[in-house]
């Protein structure tokens, strides 16, 4: 009978559970339609989700749970219900073990607890049979029972402990009689096995709820095989091909155990099935416990479906499933795979199109921005260029008008007091300036311009490109006091005091702003407003003009700022005729013969053809020179000797076979010309070499610059006795040509670079020299070239005709000047002039000549070729006595423009002068003979200028060489010789003295014979 009743109760319980499941399914289906309800009054729509009914319900339950509730005594329930029948313990596994594990509980209570755990719905069934609700029972028992315990807080407190992969249900002793129906909706708390002191329920008889997930719970992460439990978990069922078999025993058992919380489990289960169908997973084993855990998390706050990994964590074979899902293309094998593939392809294509369009848009946007910025910069640059061109044109027009005024009033200006502003600027190209070492020192090698104050009507403003030390300033102050006056002591003192007041040295402040830019001095002065203001204050109300150096466009800007004329040509004209090709054109226009050569060469084929033609026409020339148009001072010169040409001997034989008279026709020269054309390229590659390897290390570097800037090919004089001389001219704006200086050049290691001169020159007859200079000066004046011009002449002795010839050129080497001068005087043959080069600038030789004339108080008469200095008057002149004219004597001087020695930097200028005085190297103011120095800088102190004055040429040369040797021995370190050109100059002077002695002996022997 008891068994029958028990079976009826179970059947009724199953029916009620099924009904509850159907009800929950209906409610879940109705849930979407109940989100928005239309209220009849006013026909307004009411949002159910906005009301947050669930939250209010939970708050209400919490409030109710906190009330004091009275539980009925367990004994009464035992008498009424449990005493009538005893459960079949055969169907309950391990009940004995569970009773034994209950700590501190009596045997009767252990039996009751075990029975309640096995029959979770027993209490609800009993109340249904008796016709009383659970709330009524609570109220009745609350009024009757006095000794019952009163508890607060939640009615049910379930705790779960997990140890070694087992789930332990922990039930407090006070809650043993509580209905287990509400436990499916509670969230148990995990507890370790060591902390558990309660009974562990059997897995086979009672569904154990695992702890719910939280957002930080680690149970959602797939567990590694080491962390998985060893025993088989409960409630394990299988999903095949994404579908659950509802009639399977394992699934029915799982559904029956968790029927009360099935609504939340179904959502997770459907998501899992959908995921497995989409990825075509054939077999998946689901852990019911994990599924329930995930359902709590799913139901507690996830508004969106979670990712695949948390869903797959409920599987026992999650590793195999994850590996299968991760295979490429697996998604498209399952349910809706074709549609997903199509969607993916379409989205990828749309993304590609959108990305391509976006990149194209970005490129167009960037291009548009670049074009806009470039156009704006171009427009701004055009405006700046137009403004600069307009300003420079205005400066040029103002300069021309002031030059006309200077030319019209030149004689009057020269006869009155005037101020000369010396700006020794080197207006080279930027490439050339940057390649020059010590550019500021090179611009200051003409400090001797200060000696223009030897004219009492002249005041000098010297613009210095660097800051000078007090030692140099004191030196030039003492030097300028000695102006060579011989009128008497009182007059000399008065002149000395006035000389100091008539010059000033200014340094532009832009020197500190651009220390490494190698700017020319005119540019530095242009960006120095304070210095310009100072100059304007100094020249206010005075007649003044500017004397520059190498012409530059900024010269016009400075002149326009100061409102002064420039004693010189326009920069464009000066740059055009200062080149080698331009000077050659000027000499041809002046109807002066030029040496064999050709200018304006810009290509390699043109160079080869021109050189072959010149070599064929001038077969006796032994060396050919290649000169870059924009270079000077031997920097841009290379040479090649014809003796290295393999066909040269054969060409000489052909020349001698026909003779000089029959050699001129081109038909006879054609065979030699073609032979030259074949061999010249290889000949130049192997044997051509630059004159100064410090500037151009090899022929390839030289040739690259030569073809880029243009150049000239010229013949070197066919003689072993070659001398070069320099003549400085002043082309006055009034149209007169004046020779200011002339001297034979001295050379150092490079025979094509001049580092000094001998004044006066003695290699060309003065009348011939005067005629040459006059013709050159007139040709320059016709081309609007005024100011200071330097012309270099080359003289050589032709062994074929024994005729003395003269070549105008910049570089030379070989025979000394004095020897050729003696030969010129002895032979007295007719001279020829070949014009080669022209420098439109104020030369270093002219600056040193000004110092020479100031120290000696003499004059240089270039028409007679004599340096005349007055002899001091030793007799005292009385008052009202006519002062007799002082007699003059002829002197000779040797000038070193650029003497270099690296060890000079170890001595300060004062120490250097003391050392020279100790060795007798000084200048005698009374006899106007001796040695005087010119210092250029206070920092490096490696370059100096030196002038030696004596009665005759031989003594001046010997004194100059001896003083250089003494200085070299004193400043040189024995073990390490510094870089210097002293020894090359000494050797050059020794050769000159030796040749002079031989020529003198030959001259004395001829009259005797």
């Amino acid at each position: 009978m008891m068994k029958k009743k028990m079976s009826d109760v179970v059947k009724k319980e199953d029916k009620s559970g099924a009904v509850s499941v159907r009800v929950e399914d209906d409610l879940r289906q109705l849930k979407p339609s109940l989100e928005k309800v239309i209220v009849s009054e006013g026909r307004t729509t009411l949002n159910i989700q906005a009301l947050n009914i669930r939250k209010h319900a939970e708050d209400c339950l919490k409030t109710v749970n906190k009330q004091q509730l009275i539980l009925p005594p367990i004994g009464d329930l035992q008498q009424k219900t449990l005493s009538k029948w005893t459960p079949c313990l055969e169907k309950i596994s391990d009940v004995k073990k569970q009773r034994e594990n209950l700590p501190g509980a009596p045997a009767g209570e252990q039996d009751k607890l075990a029975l309640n755990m096995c029959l979770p719905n027993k209490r609800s069934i009993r109340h249904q049979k008796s016709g009383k609700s659970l709330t009524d029972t609570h109220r009745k028992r609350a009024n009757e029972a006095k000794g019952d315990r009163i508890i607060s807080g939640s009615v049910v407190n379930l705790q779960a402990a997990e140890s070694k992969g087992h789930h332990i249900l922990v039930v407090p002793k006070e809650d043993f009689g509580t209905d287990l129906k509400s436990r499916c909706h509670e969230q148990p708390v995990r507890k370790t096995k060591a902390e558990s002191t309660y009974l562990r329920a059997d897995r086979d008889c009672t569904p154990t709820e695992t702890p719910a997930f939280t957002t930080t719970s680690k149970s959602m992460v797939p567990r590694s095989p080491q962390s998985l439990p060893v025993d088989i978990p409960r409630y394990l069922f299988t999903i095949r091909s994404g579908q659950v078999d509802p009639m399977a025993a394992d699934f029915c058992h799982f559904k029956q155990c968790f029927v009360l919380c099935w609504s939340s489990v179904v959502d997770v289960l459907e998501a899992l099935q959908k995921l497995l169908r989409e990825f075509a997973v054939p077999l998946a084993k689901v852990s019911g416990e994990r599924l329930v855990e995930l359902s709590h998390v799913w139901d507690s706050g996830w508004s969106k479906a979670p990712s695949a990994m948390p869903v797959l964590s409920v599987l026992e074979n999650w590793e195999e499933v994850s590996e299968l899902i991760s295979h490429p293309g697996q998604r498209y094998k399952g349910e809706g795979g074709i549609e997903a593939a199509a969607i993916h392809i379409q989205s990828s294509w749309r993304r590609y199109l959108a990305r391509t369009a976006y990149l194209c848009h970005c490129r167009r946007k960037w291009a548009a921005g670049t074009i806009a910025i470039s156009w704006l910069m171009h427009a701004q640059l055009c405006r700046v260029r137009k403004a600069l061109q307009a300003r420079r044109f205005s400066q040029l027009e103002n300069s021309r008008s002031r030059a006309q005024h200077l030319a019209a009033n030149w004689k009057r200006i020269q006869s009155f007091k005037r101020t000369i502003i010396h700006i020794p600027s080197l207006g080279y190209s930027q490439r050339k300036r940057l390649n020059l070492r010590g550019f500021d020192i090179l611009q200051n090698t003409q400090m001797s311009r200060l000696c223009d104050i030897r004219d009492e009507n002249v005041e000098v403003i010297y613009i210095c490109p660097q800051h000078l030390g007090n030692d140099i300033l004191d030196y030039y102050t003492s030097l300028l006091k000695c102006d060579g006056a011989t009128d008497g002591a009182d007059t000399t003192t008065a002149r000395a005091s006035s000389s100091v007041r008539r010059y000033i040295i200014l340094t532009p402040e832009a020197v500190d702003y651009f220390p490494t830019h190698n700017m020319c001095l005119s540019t530095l002065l242009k960006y120095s407003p304070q210095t310009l203001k100072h100059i304007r204050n100094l020249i206010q109300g005075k007649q003044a003009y500017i004397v520059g150096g190498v012409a530059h466009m900024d010269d016009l800007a400075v002149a326009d700022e100061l409102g002064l004329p420039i004693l010189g040509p326009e920069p464009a004209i000066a740059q055009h005729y200062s080149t080698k090709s331009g000077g050659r054109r000027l000499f041809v226009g002046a109807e002066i013969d030029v040496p064999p050569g050709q200018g304006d060469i810009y290509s390699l084929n043109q160079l080869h053809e021109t050189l072959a033609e010149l070599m064929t026409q001038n077969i006796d020339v032994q060396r050919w020179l290649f000169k870059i148009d924009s270079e000077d001072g031997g920097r841009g010169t290379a040479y090649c000797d014809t003796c290295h040409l393999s066909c040269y001997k054969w060409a000489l034989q052909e020349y001698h076979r026909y003779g000089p008279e029959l050699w001129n026709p081109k038909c006879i020269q054609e065979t030699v010309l073609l032979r030259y054309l074949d061999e010249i390229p290889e000949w130049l590659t192997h044997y051509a070499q630059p004159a100064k390897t410090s500037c151009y290390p090899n022929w390839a570097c030289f040739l690259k610059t030569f073809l880029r800037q243009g150049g000239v090919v010229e013949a070197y004089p066919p003689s072993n006795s070659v001398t070069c001389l320099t003549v400085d001219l002043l082309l006055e704006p009034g149209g007169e040509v004046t020779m200011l200086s002339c001297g034979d050049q001295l050379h150092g290691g490079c025979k094509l670079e001049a580092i000094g001169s001998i004044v006066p020159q003695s290699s060309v007859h003065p009348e011939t020299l005067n005629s040459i200079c006059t013709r050159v000066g007139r040709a320059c004046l016709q081309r609007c070239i005024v100011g200071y011009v330097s012309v270099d002449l080359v003289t050589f002795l032709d062994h074929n005709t024994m005729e003395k010839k003269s070549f105008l050129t910049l570089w030379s080497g070989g025979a000394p000047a004095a020897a050729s001068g003696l030969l010129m005087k002895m032979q007295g043959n007719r001279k020829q002039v070949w014009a080669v080069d022209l420098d439109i600038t104020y030369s270093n030789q002219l600056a040193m000549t000004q110092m020479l004339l100031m120290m000696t108080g003499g004059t240089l008469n270039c028409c007679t070729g004599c340096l005349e200095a007055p002899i001091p008057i030793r007799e005292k002149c009385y008052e009202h006595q006519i002062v007799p004219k002082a007699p003059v004597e002829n002197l000779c001087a040797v000038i070193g423009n650029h003497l270099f020695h690296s060890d000079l930097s170890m001595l300060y200028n004062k120490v250097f002068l003391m050392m020279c005085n100790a060795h007798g190297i000084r200048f005698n103011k009374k006899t106007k003979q001796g040695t005087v120095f010119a210092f250029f800088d206070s920092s490096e102190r490696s370059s100096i200028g030196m002038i030696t004055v004596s009665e005759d040429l031989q003594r001046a040369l010997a004194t100059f060489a001896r003083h250089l040797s003494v200085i070299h021995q004193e400043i040189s370190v024995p073990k390490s010789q510094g870089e210097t050109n002293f020894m090359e100059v000494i050797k050059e002077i020794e050769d000159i003295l030796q040749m002079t002695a031989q020529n003198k002996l030959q001259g004395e022997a001829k009259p005797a014979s």
Side-chain angles (χ1 to χ4, degrees):
M1 186 69 180
M2 180 65 69
K3 292 182 179 180
K4 185 177 181 180
K5 290 182 178 181
M6 193 69 181
S7 60
D8 295 339
V9 171
V10 172
K11 290 180 180 179
K12 291 180 178 180
E13 183 181 0
D14 294 339
K15 292 180 180 180
S16 63
V19 170
S20 64
V21 169
R22 288 196 297 272
V23 170
E24 288 185 1
D25 292 338
D26 296 339
L27 291 175
R28 186 171 64 254
Q29 294 176 2
L30 290 174
K31 183 179 179 180
S33 63
L34 292 176
E35 291 181 355
K36 293 184 180 180
V37 179
I38 299 176
V39 184
S40 60
E41 296 180 2
R43 307 299 296 174
T44 59
T45 302
L46 181 62
N47 192 354
I48 300 300
Q49 292 182 351
L51 296 178
N52 204 355
I53 298 176
R54 182 174 181 176
K55 183 175 185 304
H56 294 314
E58 290 178 356
D59 295 341
C60 182
L61 287 176
K62 290 180 182 180
T63 305
V64 173
N65 289 338
K66 290 181 181 180
Q67 295 179 358
Q68 296 181 354
L69 301 179
I70 301 175
L71 296 177
I74 299 178
D76 297 339
L77 295 176
Q78 185 177 4
Q79 292 176 1
K80 293 180 180 181
T81 305
L82 297 178
S83 60
K84 293 181 181 181
W85 62 277
T86 58
C88 184
L89 299 178
E90 295 177 358
K91 295 182 179 181
I92 302 174
S93 61
D94 297 332
V95 174
K96 183 177 180 180
K97 295 180 180 180
Q98 294 178 12
R99 285 200 304 264
E100 292 175 355
N101 292 334
L102 284 175
E109 293 184 1
Q110 294 178 3
D111 295 338
K112 296 177 184 178
L113 180 60
L115 189 59
N116 287 333
M117 295 176 64
C118 295
L119 298 175
N121 298 327
K122 180 179 73 65
R123 187 176 181 183
S124 62
I125 294 172
R126 186 181 63 211
H127 285 285
Q128 290 177 3
K129 288 182 68 177
S130 60
K132 295 182 179 181
S133 63
L134 181 61
T135 55
D136 295 337
T137 305
H138 274 286
R139 292 169 185 168
K140 182 177 180 181
R141 298 297 297 177
N143 295 329
E144 294 178 357
K146 296 181 180 180
D148 295 339
R149 293 172 295 172
I150 298 175
I151 62 175
S152 62
S154 61
V155 179
V156 180
N157 184 16
L158 296 178
Q159 296 180 351
E162 183 180 7
S163 177
K164 296 183 180 179
H166 298 278
H167 298 282
I168 302 173
L169 183 63
V170 181
V171 183
K173 293 179 181 181
E174 296 85 353
D175 299 334
F176 284 164
T178 308
D179 187 9
L180 295 177
K181 196 177 287 185
S182 62
R183 296 181 184 179
C184 294
H185 303 286
E186 295 295 322
Q187 182 175 353
V189 182
R190 290 182 179 272
K191 194 170 185 181
T192 60
K193 186 175 181 180
E195 297 175 352
S196 177
T197 57
Y198 303 101
L199 176 65
R200 182 175 63 185
D202 187 8
R203 295 183 179 180
D204 296 334
C205 64
T206 305
T208 305
E209 291 185 10
T210 56
F213 282 178
T214 60
T215 56
T216 58
S217 175
K218 296 182 180 179
S219 60
M220 293 178 62
V221 182
R223 298 180 234 181
S224 61
Q226 292 80 1
S227 63
L228 293 176
V230 178
D231 57 341
I232 300 175
R234 292 176 299 172
Y235 314 115
L236 185 67
F237 60 93
T238 305
I239 299 178
R240 299 180 182 276
S241 300
Q243 294 290 339
V244 178
D245 187 4
M247 304 304 295
D250 51 358
F251 180 75
C252 292
H253 176 65
F254 167 71
K255 182 178 180 180
Q256 181 180 0
C257 294
F258 294 96
V259 66
L260 297 179
C261 57
W262 187 250
S263 61
S264 60
V265 175
V266 169
D267 295 337
V268 183
L269 186 59
E270 289 180 355
L272 178 61
Q273 292 182 86
K274 183 180 179 182
L275 179 64
L276 297 177
R277 287 195 305 270
E278 288 177 350
F279 286 91
V281 179
L283 178 64
K285 297 180 180 180
V286 184
S287 173
E289 298 169 344
R290 301 180 194 169
L291 188 64
V292 173
E293 289 180 3
L294 185 60
S295 68
H296 288 305
V297 180
W298 190 292
D299 202 29
S300 64
W302 272 353
S303 59
K304 297 182 180 179
S307 60
M309 290 307 296
V311 177
L312 294 179
S313 65
V314 304
L315 302 178
E316 290 294 331
N317 61 338
W318 67 270
E319 294 181 351
E320 293 82 359
V321 175
S322 299
E323 184 178 357
L324 179 63
I325 289 176
S326 63
H327 287 172
Q330 185 65 27
R331 169 65 185 89
Y332 312 116
K333 296 180 181 178
E335 185 180 72
I338 298 176
E339 291 80 2
I343 292 172
H344 181 73
I345 292 173
Q346 291 176 3
S347 62
S348 299
W349 178 248
R350 291 192 188 101
R351 181 183 63 180
Y352 169 75
L353 292 179
R355 179 67 177 172
T356 304
Y358 173 72
L359 293 178
C360 181
H361 171 72
C362 291
R363 285 194 296 268
R364 290 177 178 176
K365 184 178 179 180
W366 171 82
T370 303
I371 293 172
I373 294 175
S374 300
W375 173 252
L376 291 176
M377 293 179 63
H378 173 73
Q380 180 67 20
L381 185 61
C382 290
R383 287 192 294 269
V384 172
R385 283 178 177 173
K386 289 181 180 179
L388 288 176
Q389 289 177 357
R391 186 174 181 180
R392 287 179 178 176
F393 182 77
S394 174
Q395 293 172 356
L396 182 60
E397 290 296 326
N398 295 336
S399 177
R400 288 174 179 174
S401 63
R402 287 190 293 264
Q404 293 176 0
H405 180 270
L406 180 66
N409 300 275
W410 176 253
K411 292 183 178 180
R412 184 178 63 83
I413 292 174
Q414 290 295 103
S415 60
F416 292 95
K417 289 188 176 182
R418 59 195 179 277
T419 301
I420 302 176
I421 302 175
H422 282 285
I423 307 176
S425 175
L426 297 180
Y428 299 142
S429 63
Q430 184 178 5
R431 181 191 299 270
K432 184 176 179 180
R433 294 198 311 268
L434 294 176
N435 292 331
L436 290 174
R437 185 180 64 178
F439 185 69
D440 55 343
I441 300 176
L442 291 178
Q443 291 189 113
N444 201 38
T445 54
Q446 296 183 3
M447 279 200 71
S448 302
R449 293 192 187 192
L450 293 171
C451 297
D452 283 348
I453 62 173
R454 62 192 179 91
D455 187 349
E456 295 181 355
N457 293 327
V458 173
E459 294 182 358
V460 173
I461 299 176
Y462 179 80
I463 309 300
C464 183
Q466 58 181 343
H467 296 287
L468 298 178
N470 294 328
D471 53 349
I472 293 184
L473 296 177
D474 295 341
Y475 174 77
Y476 278 100
T477 299
S478 61
L479 185 69
L480 294 174
K481 289 180 180 179
C482 176
D483 58 353
T486 58
D487 297 340
D490 298 335
T491 307
T492 303
T493 304
R495 285 188 177 182
S497 60
S498 64
S499 298
V500 176
R501 294 193 301 267
R502 286 188 287 109
Y503 81 93
I504 185 172
I505 301 175
L506 299 178
T507 302
E509 63 267 19
V511 172
D512 300 327
Y513 305 151
F514 309 102
T516 60
H517 290 70
N518 281 11
M519 290 183 175
C520 65
L521 188 56
S522 297
T523 305
L524 293 174
L525 184 59
K526 174 185 175 181
Y527 297 119
S528 302
Q530 296 181 3
T531 306
L532 291 174
K533 182 179 180 181
H534 192 184
I535 295 174
R536 282 194 293 266
N537 294 333
L538 291 174
I539 63 175
Q540 189 173 7
K542 299 179 181 179
Q543 292 287 344
Y545 58 89
I546 296 174
V547 176
V550 178
H552 191 269
M553 289 299 298
D554 288 336
D555 294 344
L556 300 180
V558 173
D560 197 59
E561 287 289 335
L562 298 176
L564 298 178
I566 300 176
L567 183 59
E570 297 177 5
I573 297 176
Q575 292 173 4
H576 177 71
Y577 288 104
S578 291
T579 62
K580 303 299 182 288
S581 301
R584 186 179 181 87
R585 287 193 297 269
L586 187 142
F587 292 133
V588 172
E591 298 180 354
I592 299 176
D593 295 337
V594 294
Q598 180 66 42
D600 298 317
I601 297 176
Y602 293 95
S603 66
L604 188 61
N605 292 332
Q606 183 185 6
L607 174 64
H608 293 165
E609 293 174 0
T610 301
L611 184 59
E613 187 175 351
L614 290 174
M615 291 174 64
T616 304
Q617 295 174 0
N618 304 273
I619 203 161
D620 57 336
V621 176
Q622 302 293 324
R623 175 175 291 183
W624 292 90
L625 302 179
F626 309 92
K627 305 174 184 179
I628 300 176
D629 274 341
S630 60
E631 295 286 0
D632 58 353
R635 286 173 47 87
T637 305
Y639 62 91
C640 192
D641 296 330
T642 57
C643 61
H644 300 293
L645 200 61
S646 59
C647 64
Y648 181 66
K649 293 183 179 180
W650 170 80
L652 283 177
Q653 293 176 1
E654 292 292 320
Y655 174 74
H656 291 304
R657 184 164 64 91
Y658 288 100
E661 294 81 6
L662 300 177
W663 182 251
N664 292 329
K666 291 186 178 180
C667 58
I668 299 177
Q669 299 177 0
E670 185 176 1
T671 55
V672 178
L673 177 64
L674 295 176
R675 187 76 175 270
Y676 277 160
L677 282 174
D678 293 337
E679 296 187 8
I680 279 177
E682 185 178 358
W683 172 60
L684 291 176
T685 303
H686 290 88
Y687 299 103
Q689 54 184 341
K692 292 188 68 173
T693 55
S694 59
C695 304
Y696 300 97
N698 50 50
W699 168 252
C701 297
F702 178 87
L703 182 63
K704 182 179 179 180
T705 307
F706 180 88
L707 297 178
R708 183 178 65 249
Q709 300 182 6
V712 173
V713 177
E714 286 182 355
Y716 188 81
S719 174
N720 295 327
S721 177
V722 181
T723 305
C724 180
L725 65 150
T726 302
V727 181
D728 292 294
L729 307 177
L730 173 60
L731 308 180
E732 298 181 1
E736 297 182 2
V737 179
T738 305
M739 295 178 60
L740 300 178
S741 174
C742 59
D744 298 318
Q745 291 185 0
L746 287 175
H747 306 91
C750 177
K751 297 299 181 180
L752 302 177
E753 179 185 14
I755 60 175
S757 58
I758 302 172
V759 178
Q761 65 86 25
S762 58
S763 57
V764 179
H765 196 275
E767 295 180 0
T768 303
L769 183 62
N770 189 22
S771 174
I772 292 172
C773 294
T774 301
R775 295 169 64 183
V776 171
R778 289 175 181 174
C780 291
L781 289 172
Q782 292 176 2
R783 291 162 177 80
C784 300
I785 300 176
V786 296
Y788 296 95
V789 173
S790 178
V791 180
D792 297 331
L793 306 170
V794 154
T795 65
F796 72 97
L797 184 63
D798 192 347
H799 295 286
N800 296 327
T801 60
M802 292 302 293
E803 181 182 55
K804 187 67 180 180
K805 296 184 179 181
S806 301
F807 293 81
L808 271 77
T809 185
L810 177 62
W811 301 282
S812 69
S820 59
L822 291 176
L823 287 174
M824 180 267 300
K825 292 177 182 179
M826 288 185 295
Q827 294 176 3
N829 296 325
R830 184 180 175 182
K831 311 307 187 285
Q832 291 185 0
V833 178
W834 290 358
V836 175
D837 191 29
L838 180 71
D839 288 330
I840 306 174
T841 184
Y842 196 105
S843 68
N844 294 336
Q845 175 180 286
L846 179 58
M848 296 297 290
T849 303
Q850 296 294 331
M851 176 180 281
L852 170 64
L853 298 179
M854 180 151 188
M855 296 302 297
T856 59
T859 57
L860 179 61
N861 191 347
C862 296
C863 295
T864 59
C866 297
L867 175 60
E868 300 174 349
I871 300 175
I873 300 176
R874 299 181 182 179
E875 296 181 358
K876 189 174 182 180
C877 298
Y878 296 97
E879 191 175 358
H880 306 293
Q881 183 179 357
I882 298 175
V883 179
K885 187 177 180 180
V888 296
E889 60 179 347
N890 293 330
L891 299 176
C892 291
V894 180
I895 299 174
N897 301 328
H898 186 68
L899 300 175
F900 178 82
H901 202 300
S902 59
D903 292 338
L904 282 172
S905 59
M906 296 186 299
L907 299 177
Y908 288 102
N909 294 325
K910 289 185 177 181
V911 178
F912 174 78
L913 292 175
M914 292 173 61
M915 180 196 70
C916 293
N917 289 330
H919 289 82
I921 305 175
R922 65 174 68 91
F923 187 81
N924 193 333
K925 298 179 182 180
K926 295 182 179 180
T927 61
K928 308 300 180 183
Q929 298 179 15
T931 300
V932 64
F933 298 96
F935 298 107
F936 305 140
D937 69 303
S938 300
S939 57
E940 294 187 9
R941 302 185 303 275
S942 57
S943 299
I944 60 172
M946 190 173 76
I947 301 175
T948 300
V949 184
S950 187
E951 296 176 354
D952 52 43
L953 178 61
Q954 288 78 9
R955 187 174 297 179
L957 289 171
T959 304
F960 190 89
R962 184 175 66 254
H963 289 174
L964 279 183
S965 179
V966 171
I967 294 172
H968 175 72
Q969 293 177 4
E970 288 294 328
I971 65 176
S972 298
V973 181
K975 294 184 179 180
S976 61
Q977 295 289 335
E979 183 181 356
T980 181
N981 58 4
F982 282 14
M983 304 310 296
E984 288 82 359
V985 176
I986 293 173
K987 186 177 183 302
E988 176 82 5
I989 293 175
E990 290 177 353
D991 294 340
I992 292 175
L993 293 175
Q994 184 178 0
M995 184 66 69
T996 302
Q998 293 179 1
N999 292 335
K1000 189 175 181 179
L1001 292 175
Q1002 292 178 3
E1004 293 177 353
K1006 280 187 178 182
S1009 61

